[in-house]
Amino acid sequence: MRKSVAILLFILFSLGLCLAQSPKEVISQDPLKAAGTFYVYDGSALPELTPAPEGYEPFYISHFARHGARYCTSEYEYLYGWMSKAAEKELLTEEGKAFFARYEPFYQKVRYSKGNLTDLGKSQHRAIAQHMFQRFPAVFEGPTHVESVSTESARVIMSMWSFLSEIESLDKDMDVHADASARFAPWLQPSLSSNPYLLKGSWDCGKAAEDAARAYFSETVPCKDIVLRFFTKADVPEKTLRTTPERFVTILYEVCTSTRCLDADQGCFDDVFSADEAFSIWKALSARYFHELANFTLSESLVQDYSGFTVEQIIASADEDIASGSTQLRLRFGHDSGISALEVFLDVNGFGRPTASLEESLEIFPNYNIPMGASLQLVFYRNASGNILVKALVNEEEATLPFQPVQGPYYSWADFKAHYLPLISAAKSNIEKAEPLYVLKNTNWGWKSVAGSSVESAAASVKVFGSTQSISLVRFPIREHTVSVVESDGPDAMITSRFGQESGALAAINGSYFDKEVMPVTFVKDEGRVLSTSTGDGFTRSNGMFRIKDRKGRRVDILSIDSVSIAKSARRWREAIVSGPVLLENGKTVEYPDDGSRSYRKFYNYRHPRTLMGYTSDGWIYFIVVDGRFPGQGEGMTIFELQTLCQALGLWEAINLDGGGSSTIWTSDSGVLNHPYDNKLFDHEGERTVPNALIVR
């Protein structure tokens, strides 16, 4: 019976959230919420809390908050500069002139306070402290110890000070330890530049997500109409102000809506945008916020993975505090990006639901959920048997978590950890993998033309994967050059550089696997003639084919094959070479599970010299060689590290070729670029004889 009641309470509680109003209804009833993240949280009307299960009392609170209401940061300066320049060049409309006449004196009052907490922001955190003390008096019975931290931002420190000063005035038997330091950044606010462990670039959403956000903004906001209200021509933002219409509208909107954060001049620009304009701009900015900080499936950002460190710290500190009984209150103060990503990671109220639709994102995680003064509280309850429950409050309202509750909004602490610890482990693994991807994406390869052509070569020594990697590359646009297979096997086999020289090539790399007699052990086709029909017995990794359709070598393909499909796959293709494994298909890495064999470990998991080729979705072919077996100079890559290199270079399809001592890349003007291993010396002389090569003319 008790279990049935608990389930019924959970269903009713969840149903209340499901029947929540749509964002359009919310904003129509409270137009100030169209300010999004500049909305000022007002906790004056607190809902009643669901009674705890019988016998449970609150004893500990773990808290994370965004700073309170603040002045704008760089927005004031940008808007003033744009309006001043347009006025100077007489490009303002009458409405633009009237606005600037109002904005100029306002700017002079606020310009030196940019980013600072307002008194309203301080009062927000005082109010939250009062509510916490009033709602959970049992937590503050007897001596109370508080551990509180903040980022180094002045507005965040002042928010923490406001909260602590208020709660100390209410609880005379309180001991507080507070600090602000960059050492908290890895879990408190990983996006801050002061975070010593920040992986730069890991917050980049990627081209697909950025394109989607820009397109949605363009479709949603009447930018041209708004621009023409202020400027005499629609192209003034781009041609005169050196910005975009979208950015101008965004900055103008943020300056106007943020006046609600101020102690004076509140709402002084509420009349600048109509209700329809405000709603359309809110939609675009909320969608952009979602694509940056929530679970937008097209995004490449690691912001949620960084929140795994935050949840890990919340769990570890709670377990430590509960075991010792020494701390009753854990407070954390940061910024909107920190608490947003945290709530998405926790999937409170379904905020973590994934979508590829920015329109749908408005329902999942509207950005007014993270107002100035936003807070997340985890309130812990315990009974006489020592069982522990936890309840989440989002902006002081009870919230759901993505697993079965014990009753209503109350969840088992053991279940909380069981649910999130695997997610934390996966998130940390994602970040570890992302570091080499970022390093390789941002490597300065030093591209230069080969013999004055559009073929380019490059080489670099890169510290990545905890090793030193020597990487040599050639790339070229397929529409301007001919790529082909050249061969001469058995007693007539040659080194790669000679293949290049004798064919008049601009560049060459070694090709397929071969045996001791320097005969190919996989299928090879050249100029319509099948030269080798071997299916590569014993070479199960030879699962791919690079094929060339036309004489000019400008129609190419990489595909996965098996021994049965080789001949059919090469039919009607002028040239083909079988090798492998296939590294990328459609931009995604191909998985190769460990079969437990020694040969698997030696080939896939050990570092070796590697040769590969691939192409991008926009028609660039890459020849790549990674040196190996030279400790401290060129240590080589595993197959999985090679896949990361392919992704960093933006390849769409890629295939591994023969590696080891055969790995060689050559250009007509620089000779051998890499350091072939066959002579065991880190020089350019150790080429091995091979039966075929890929060349570009």
Side-chain angles (χ1 to χ4, degrees), residues 400-445:
T400 62
L401 295 173
F403 53 94
Q404 183 69 35
V406 172
Q407 180 177 314
Y410 295 89
Y411 297 81
S412 161
W413 178 234
D415 290 348
F416 185 102
K417 291 187 286 186
H419 179 81
Y420 290 114
L421 286 174
L423 300 181
I424 292 167
S425 178
K428 292 173 72 173
S429 176
N430 288 341
I431 289 173
E432 290 170 1
K433 292 176 183 176
E435 182 172 9
L437 189 62
Y438 172 79
V439 170
L440 290 166
K441 276 185 175 180
N442 290 274
T443 295
N444 180 7
W445 297 107

Side-chain angles (χ1 to χ4, degrees), residues 58-124:
F59 71 99
Y60 175 78
I61 299 174
S62 184
H63 154 282
F64 194 113
R66 181 191 184 189
H67 59 74
R70 61 164 173 83
Y71 291 90
C72 278
T73 53
S74 57
E75 293 93 339
Y76 294 139
E77 300 288 347
Y78 283 125
L79 186 57
Y80 183 75
W82 292 334
M83 298 303 291
S84 298
K85 190 169 185 178
E88 179 186 335
K89 294 185 177 293
E90 299 184 346
L91 295 172
L92 292 178
T93 62
E94 290 305 312
E95 185 173 348
K97 292 174 185 176
F99 172 79
F100 189 40
R102 296 163 59 192
Y103 182 66
E104 189 163 20
F106 171 82
Y107 169 73
Q108 297 303 331
K109 285 192 288 185
V110 300
R111 62 182 299 193
Y112 297 115
S113 299
K114 61 183 182 180
N116 292 348
L117 196 71
T118 63
D119 285 342
L120 177 58
K122 297 171 189 173
S123 67
Q124 286 181 285

Side-chain angles (χ1 to χ4, degrees), residues 560-630:
S560 295
I561 50 91
D562 56 32
S563 59
V564 176
S565 63
I566 289 176
K568 182 178 179 181
S569 298
R571 192 179 304 147
R572 296 191 181 90
W573 289 76
R574 181 178 173 80
E575 300 183 1
I577 187 169
V578 168
S579 189
V582 175
L583 302 169
L584 295 186
E585 284 185 333
N586 299 323
K588 305 294 184 182
T589 58
V590 181
E591 301 296 324
Y592 293 104
D594 191 341
D595 64 8
S597 67
R598 183 170 179 268
S599 61
Y600 175 97
R601 293 194 304 274
K602 288 185 67 176
F603 181 76
Y604 285 91
N605 293 345
Y606 289 9
R607 286 180 173 152
H608 299 289
R610 305 281 186 179
T611 299
L612 70 115
M613 67 83 55
Y615 50 79
T616 65
S617 59
D618 58 354
W620 282 75
I621 289 187
Y622 279 69
F623 293 169
I624 304 167
V625 164
V626 178
D627 290 326
R629 303 172 185 164
F630 293 109

Side-chain angles (χ1 to χ4, degrees), residues 233-472:
K233 297 178 181 178
D235 62 3
V236 168
E238 290 149 310
K239 288 194 173 180
T240 304
L241 307 182
R242 302 298 177 87
T243 188
T244 63
E246 293 78 12
R247 189 158 182 256
F248 169 76
V249 170
T250 298
I251 295 294
L252 174 64
Y253 188 75
E254 290 177 344
V255 167
C256 292
T257 55
S258 69
T259 59
R260 287 288 173 176
C261 295
L262 308 183
D263 307 312
D265 299 307
Q266 264 199 1
C268 62
F269 295 123
D270 281 358
D271 60 344
V272 171
F273 295 96
S274 69
D276 287 344
E277 287 174 337
F279 184 66
S280 71
I281 298 170
W282 169 79
K283 286 179 65 177
L285 296 182
S286 183
R288 181 185 293 171
Y289 197 77
F290 186 94
H291 110 279
E292 291 175 343
L293 294 166
N295 203 353
F296 187 50
T297 55
L298 298 180
S299 178
E300 299 172 13
S301 168
L302 292 173
V303 58
Q304 291 174 62
D305 293 310
Y306 270 117
S307 291
F309 291 98
T310 309
V311 180
E312 182 179 50
Q313 197 274 340
I314 287 172
I315 291 173
S317 60
D319 278 344
E320 181 182 338
D321 294 340
I322 292 168
S324 67
S326 60
T327 299
Q328 289 70 46
L329 192 58
R330 280 270 176 184
L331 305 174
R332 304 167 186 86
F333 295 85
H335 302 259
D336 65 311
S337 58
I339 190 172
S340 296
L342 171 61
E343 291 184 2
V344 170
F345 187 95
L346 293 173
D347 195 15
V348 294
N349 290 342
F351 291 166
R353 180 155 59 95
T355 184
S357 165
L358 290 174
E359 186 71 23
E360 185 183 12
S361 77
L362 307 178
E363 303 283 343
I364 297 173
F365 191 42
N367 64 351
Y368 52 67
N369 282 331
I370 309 296
M372 299 290 179
S375 67
L376 171 69
Q377 299 174 31
L378 296 176
V379 185
F380 289 69
Y381 293 73
R382 184 166 51 197
N383 65 7
S385 301
N387 294 324
I388 296 174
L389 303 180
V390 64
K391 172 170 65 177
L393 302 180
V394 172
N395 299 331
E396 303 189 279
E397 294 188 16
E398 291 173 337
T400 62
L401 295 173
F403 53 94
Q404 183 69 35
V406 172
Q407 180 177 314
Y410 295 89
Y411 297 81
S412 161
W413 178 234
D415 290 348
F416 185 102
K417 291 187 286 186
H419 179 81
Y420 290 114
L421 286 174
L423 300 181
I424 292 167
S425 178
K428 292 173 72 173
S429 176
N430 288 341
I431 289 173
E432 290 170 1
K433 292 176 183 176
E435 182 172 9
L437 189 62
Y438 172 79
V439 170
L440 290 166
K441 276 185 175 180
N442 290 274
T443 295
N444 180 7
W445 297 107
W447 293 104
K448 64 178 183 178
S449 171
V450 175
S453 71
S454 56
V455 176
E456 297 177 329
S457 66
S461 177
V462 185
K463 297 285 188 180
V464 68
F465 306 118
S467 62
T468 301
Q469 297 291 343
S470 175
I471 305 169
S472 304

